[in-house]
C-alpha cells in the first residue's frame, strides 16, 4: 500500500486538501506522478463534490492504464506472429498455432473469448488507430470508446478507417460511448456510402425471427430486420397501445399487449400491408409521394417523411387517425437532406428512434406510397433546427412538432430517450397563477425531457438547467456544482 504523505504531495507542487487534489486530478493528464497521488482520494475524506471529481480522476487514470495494457497485449500478439513457422501464414492456420490467447486468459483470469477480444482490440489500436490509443492514454476517452472505434471500422479499408477516426478525434472526448457509436455509424455511411449500402443489402438477406426462453415462464420474441421496418413496427405498436384502456397497466405492458393484439388479432389476415411485398421489400410506386414536393430549401435544408408504409404497419390516414381496423396510423420520421433525396449526394439520413441510415434506405422510405413530406429549415452554422413549415397542424401542435424534431432526444446529457416519448418541459417554469410572469410556451423555452429527468429537474433540490436560445445548448448544474452540457441535434451530420 502506498503511503501518501504531505511531503509526497508537496513535491508535485499541487493542492493540499483531498477535495483540492480531486479537482486537480480530474483534469490533469494522467501519468506515473499523478497516479502516485491517487490514494489521497479517500472517499471518507471527500465531500460529495470531491467524490465526483475523484471518479473523473480515477476514470482518466483507468484509461491510461488500459492504454499501456493494450500496448503490452499488442506486443505479445506481435511476438506470437514472429514465432509462427514460415509455412504458416494463412489465417486459420495462424489461429491453430497461436496460443497467446490462452496465456492471456490464464494470466488475467478471463474466458478465452474475452481474452481473444482484448488481443484483437489491442492489435487494431496499436496498428491502425494510434490517435485513438493516444487519447485513451491521456484519459480523454474511455476504453469502451476505443473498442467502438475498432469494432465499427472493422468493415472498412485502412485508409477509409483512418478518415473516419480523423473526423471524430475532436468530438470523442465530449461524447459518451453510445454517442460515439452513433457518430461512428454516421461517419462510416458518409465515408463509404456504396459499401454501406452493400453491407445493408447483405444483412437484409439474413433477416430472421428470434425466440429465446426466459426465466419464470417468460420468453423473448422478436426479429432481426431492416431498421426502417423495425421503426415502422415500433410506431404501429405505440399507436395501437395509445388506443388501449389503462386497466392498471403500465405503458410498457400496454405496448406488449398491443404487439400481441396486432400479431394475433389482425382484422383481415388476407390483406397485404400496403407498400410492402411479401418478401418485405418496399413496393415501388414509380412516382413521387402524394402531395407536392417542397420548394428547394436554402443552405442546410432538409426534408422529413412520414408516415411510411415500408414495413408491416396498418394502413390509414396520414396523421394519427383511426384505421379501418380501429387502430391508429403509425408515423415514422426520417430526416434527409434535399440533395440526398434527389440523388445528388449519398450522405446518410437520420431515422427517428434508430439513428443514421444509408441514402438508399432514406430514398426508398421517402418515395414509398403514402409518404408525406415536411420542410425543415436549419441554421447553417450550427445545424440546429430553427423552423418547421406549418401544414395541417394548429399552432400548438406545430410547436410540439418543432421541439420534438429540434431536440430529437431527451435534453439531459447522455440520455437517448427519443423526444417523441418525452415530456415537453418549460425551461423557465410556467406560472399557472400569473401567465405573464412565468416562462412562455414557445420553442425557445421548451425542451424534451424523459419522465425521469423531468421529475429530477422539477422536484430534486439542487438540479438546475438553462438553455441558450442562440445555440440551443442546455447546461445542467448538479447539486455538487458540476456543470454538464448537451448540444442540440445537428441536422448537418
Amino acid at each position: 500500500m502506498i503511503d501518501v504523505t504531505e511531503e509526497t504531495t508537496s513535491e508535485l507542487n499541487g493542492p493540499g486538501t483531498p477535495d483540492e487534489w480531486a479537482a486537480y486530478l480530474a483534469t490533469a493528464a494522467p501519468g506515473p506522478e499523478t497516479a502516485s497521488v491517487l490514494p489521497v482520494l479517500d472517499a471518507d475524506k471527500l465531500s460529495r463534490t470531491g467524490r465526483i471529481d475523484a471518479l473523473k480522476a480515477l476514470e482518466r487514470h483507468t484509461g491510461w492504464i488500459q492504454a499501456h495494457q493494450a500496448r503490452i497485449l499488442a506486443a505479445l500478439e506481435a511476438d506470437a506472429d514472429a514465432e509462427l513457422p514460415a509455412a504458416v501464414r494463412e489465417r486459420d492456420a495462424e489461429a491453430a498455432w497461436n496460443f497467446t490467447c490462452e496465456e492471456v486468459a490464464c494470466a488475467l483470469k478471463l474466458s478465452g473469448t474475452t481474452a481473444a477480444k482484448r488481443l484483437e482490440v489491442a492489435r487494431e489500436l496499436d496498428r491502425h488507430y494510434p490517435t485513438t490509443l493516444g487519447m485513451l492514454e491521456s484519459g480523454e476517452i474511455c476504453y469502451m470508446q476505443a473498442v467502438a472505434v475498432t469494432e465499427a471500422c472493422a468493415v472498412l479499408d485502412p485508409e477509409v478507417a483512418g478518415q473516419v477516426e480523423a473526423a471524430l478525434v475532436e468530438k470523442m472526448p465530449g461524447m459518451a460511448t453510445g454517442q460515439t457509436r452513433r457518430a461512428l455509424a454516421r461517419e462510416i455511411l458518409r465515408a463509404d456510402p456504396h459499401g454501406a449500402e452493400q453491407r445493408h443489402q447483405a444483412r437484409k438477406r439474413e433477416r430472421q425471427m428470434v425466440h429465446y426462453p426466459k426465466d419464470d415462464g417468460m420468453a423473448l420474441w422478436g426479429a432481426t430486420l431492416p431498421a426502417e421496418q423495425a421503426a415502422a413496427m415500433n410506431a404501429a405498436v405505440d399507436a395501437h397501445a395509445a388506443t388501449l384502456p389503462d386497466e392498471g397497466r403500465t405503458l410498457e405492458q400496454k405496448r406488449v399487449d398491443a404487439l400481441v393484439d396486432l400479431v394475433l388479432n389482425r382484422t383481415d389476415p388476407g390483406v397485404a400491408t400496403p407498400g410492402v411485398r411479401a418478401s418485405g421489400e418496399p413496393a415501388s410506386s414509380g412516382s413521387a409521394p402524394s402531395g407536392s414536393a417542397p420548394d428547394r430549401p436554402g443552405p442546410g435544408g432538409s426534408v422529413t417523411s412520414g408516415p411510411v408504409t415500408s414495413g408491416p404497419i396498418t394502413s390509414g390516414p396520414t396523421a394519427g387517425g383511426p384505421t379501418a381496423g380501429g387502430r391508429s396510423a403509425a408515423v415514422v420520421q426520417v430526416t434527409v437532406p434535399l440533395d440526398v433525396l434527389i440523388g445528388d449526394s449519398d450522405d446518410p439520413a437520420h431515422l427517428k428512434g434508430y439513428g443514421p441510415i444509408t441514402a438508399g434506405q432514406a430514398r426508398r422510405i421517402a418515395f414509398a406510397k403514402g409518404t408525406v413530406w415536411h420542410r425543415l429549415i436549419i441554421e447553417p452554422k450550427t445545424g440546429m433546427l430553427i423552423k418547421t413549415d406549418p401544414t395541417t397542424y394548429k399552432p400548438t401542435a406545430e410547436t410540439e412538432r418543432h421541439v420534438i424534431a429540434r431536440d430529437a432526444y431527451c435534453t439531459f446529457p447522455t440520455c437517448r430517450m427519443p423526444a417523441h416519448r418525452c415530456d415537453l418541459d418549460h425551461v423557465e417554469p410556467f406560472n399557472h397563477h400569473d401567465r405573464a410572469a412565468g416562462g412562455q410556451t414557445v420553442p425557445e423555452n421548451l425542451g424534451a425531457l424523459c419522465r425521469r429527468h423531468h421529475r429530477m429537474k422539477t422536484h430534486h433540490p439542487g438540479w438546475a438547467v438553462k438553455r441558450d436560445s442562440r445555440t440551443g445548448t442546455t447546461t445542467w448544474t448538479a447539486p455538487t456544482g458540476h456543470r454538464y452540457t448537451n448540444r442540440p441535434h445537428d441536422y448537418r451530420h
Side-chain angles (χ1 to χ4, degrees):
M1 182 174 180
I2 300 175
D3 182 21
V4 181
T5 64
E6 291 183 7
E7 182 180 350
T8 304
T9 54
S10 64
E11 289 177 359
L12 292 176
N13 297 318
T17 68
D19 271 14
E20 290 172 341
W21 270 109
Y24 169 73
L25 294 171
T27 57
E33 288 187 342
T34 55
S36 70
V37 189
L38 291 179
V40 81
L41 305 180
D42 186 336
D44 292 335
K45 298 178 181 178
L46 292 166
S47 67
R48 182 174 177 82
T49 299
R51 289 167 184 164
I52 295 295
D53 285 331
L55 283 177
K56 295 165 70 175
L58 292 169
E59 186 70 12
R60 290 175 70 88
H61 283 79
T62 298
W64 173 67
I65 291 171
Q66 288 170 323
H68 280 268
Q69 187 185 63
R71 288 198 172 93
I72 292 173
L73 288 168
L76 286 170
E77 186 82 343
D79 290 343
D81 289 344
E83 294 169 0
L84 287 173
V88 178
R89 284 292 178 265
E90 197 262 324
R91 186 73 178 173
D92 291 338
E94 271 188 42
W97 279 88
N98 187 348
F99 298 104
T100 304
C101 176
E102 281 71 18
E103 189 165 7
V104 169
C106 291
L108 300 183
K109 298 181 177 63
L110 303 173
S111 69
T113 301
T114 302
K117 180 64 178 177
R118 288 269 194 97
L119 283 163
E120 178 187 1
V121 171
R123 181 182 65 247
E124 291 300 306
L125 287 172
D126 185 65
R127 292 182 183 177
H128 302 300
Y129 308 104
T131 302
T132 298
L133 184 56
M135 293 170 68
L136 177 63
E137 185 175 21
S138 63
E140 295 179 78
I141 63 172
C142 71
Y143 178 72
M144 291 311 298
Q145 286 177 282
V147 171
V149 171
T150 65
E151 290 179 342
C153 295
V155 298
L156 302 174
D157 293 334
E159 183 179 351
V160 179
Q163 295 173 8
V164 171
E165 181 193 34
L168 292 179
V169 163
E170 294 183 2
K171 300 177 183 178
M172 278 198 293
M175 293 178 170
T177 301
Q179 293 169 325
T180 300
R181 288 190 179 277
R182 281 181 287 274
L184 283 163
R186 179 168 288 278
E187 288 300 330
I188 288 171
L189 290 177
R190 179 175 287 111
D192 184 29
H194 180 66
E197 181 64 25
Q198 286 184 322
R199 291 189 293 272
H200 170 66
Q201 293 301 331
R203 292 294 297 274
K204 192 172 181 179
R205 290 189 289 271
E206 298 172 357
R207 59 190 182 274
Q208 61 180 337
M209 294 291 300
V210 292
H211 182 195
Y212 302 119
K214 304 283 281 186
D215 293 337
D216 302 317
M218 304 297 283
L220 175 68
W221 183 88
T224 302
L225 72 167
E228 64 269 26
Q229 292 183 355
M233 294 173 69
N234 210 43
V237 168
D238 284 347
H240 188 39
T243 70
L244 302 179
D246 286 343
E247 296 177 341
R249 293 178 288 188
T250 65
L251 176 59
E252 283 304 309
Q253 290 170 340
K254 288 172 63 178
R255 295 182 75 230
V256 172
D257 295 345
L259 173 63
V260 173
D261 186 42
L262 288 170
V263 173
L264 299 183
N265 302 317
R266 288 188 60 172
T267 304
D268 187 351
V271 177
T273 304
V276 182
R277 298 191 181 99
S279 66
E281 298 283 349
S284 175
S285 62
S287 61
S290 59
S292 58
D295 297 331
R296 178 182 291 269
S302 301
V303 175
T304 341
S305 64
V308 178
T309 54
S310 62
I313 63 173
T314 56
S315 61
T318 60
T323 67
R327 301 168 185 148
S328 295
V331 176
V332 173
Q333 179 177 314
V334 176
T335 306
V336 50
L338 184 60
D339 56 351
V340 173
L341 195 65
I342 63 179
D344 284 352
S345 170
D346 284 325
D347 276 358
H350 185 87
L351 176 60
K352 182 177 177 180
Y354 173 78
I357 59 174
T358 67
Q361 286 177 278
R363 293 185 195 111
R364 287 190 289 273
I365 294 172
F367 289 97
K369 182 180 178 182
T371 295
V372 176
W373 294 5
H374 299 290
R375 184 174 65 170
L376 305 179
I377 301 174
I378 67 171
E379 209 290 315
K381 292 183 179 179
T382 65
M384 183 177 69
L385 179 68
I386 57 175
K387 182 174 175 59
T388 57
D389 263 3
T391 53
T392 60
Y393 296 99
K394 58 185 179 180
T396 53
E398 182 199 350
T399 297
E400 180 180 358
R401 182 162 58 89
H402 175 103
V403 175
I404 289 173
R406 181 197 68 199
D407 292 347
Y409 300 96
C410 171
T411 54
F412 184 79
T414 76
C415 183
R416 300 298 288 180
M417 178 67 74
H420 70 278
R421 292 189 185 173
C422 292
D423 301 332
L424 297 191
D425 175 62
H426 289 77
V427 179
E428 180 185 349
F430 183 81
N431 190 322
H432 293 276
H433 303 290
D434 184 358
R435 297 183 180 183
Q440 294 182 315
T441 308
V442 293
E444 293 76 15
N445 190 48
L446 292 173
L449 286 179
C450 70
R451 186 57 54 86
R452 174 178 175 81
H453 294 128
H454 189 176
R455 286 173 177 164
M456 183 181 76
K457 170 185 174 291
T458 305
H459 301 296
H460 194 289
W463 280 99
V465 61
K466 291 185 178 180
R467 182 178 184 276
D468 186 325
S469 60
R470 184 179 58 85
T471 65
T473 299
T474 53
T475 301
W476 288 75
T477 303
T480 58
H482 292 91
R483 293 184 178 181
Y484 308 99
T485 58
N486 184 72
R487 293 175 176 81
H489 181 72
D490 187 341
Y491 277 90
R492 300 170 302 172
H493 303 295

